[in-house]
Amino acid sequence: MTDTLITKIMLGVFGNVPAFDKFFRKGMNMYNFGPKSLRGLAKFYRKHQTMIDCYQKQLVTLNFATGQNTKRFYTKAKVIDMIGFIAGGGAG
């Protein structure tokens, strides 16, 4: 199993780490999933905590059956995942 697969599963199931795909790795300049990258993510979060927390409290998930917003918010890890994905060129 690759770091990409493992972290995509962890993000999808638990919402506790960003998905270390090629765009996230490039955008965050983190190429291996492990203790060093987790410390780097913690440092990134602390540096950008106000912004990340603000977005995290605004972004809600959708109910696929109804298409309506739920009362569940994106996790902080998902917000960081989106930042890294965009920074790595994944949105273009």
Side-chain angles (χ1 to χ4, degrees):
M1 292 181 51
T2 65
D3 286 352
T4 301
L5 179 59
I6 291 167
T7 56
K8 281 190 179 282
I9 292 169
M10 291 174 72
L11 178 62
V13 174
F14 304 111
N16 60 354
V17 295
F20 273 63
D21 60 21
K22 68 179 182 177
F23 296 114
F24 181 83
R25 290 171 192 261
K26 180 180 176 187
M28 298 298 282
N29 197 30
M30 294 180 183
Y31 295 96
N32 296 303
F33 178 66
K36 184 178 177 182
S37 60
L38 292 174
R39 285 190 295 273
L41 287 171
K43 184 178 177 180
F44 179 85
Y45 172 71
R46 285 190 300 272
K47 182 176 180 182
H48 303 286
Q49 182 175 355
T50 302
M51 177 197 61
I52 292 167
D53 290 354
C54 180
Y55 279 105
Q56 187 266 327
K57 293 174 186 169
Q58 294 176 28
L59 298 170
V60 294
T61 62
L62 295 176
N63 179 318
F64 285 109
T66 66
Q68 301 297 313
N69 290 345
T70 69
K71 294 181 181 181
R72 293 186 183 104
F73 293 94
Y74 277 30
T75 64
K76 291 173 178 68
K78 178 59 184 169
V79 174
I80 295 170
D81 176 73
M82 292 171 16
I83 293 167
F85 182 81
I86 292 167

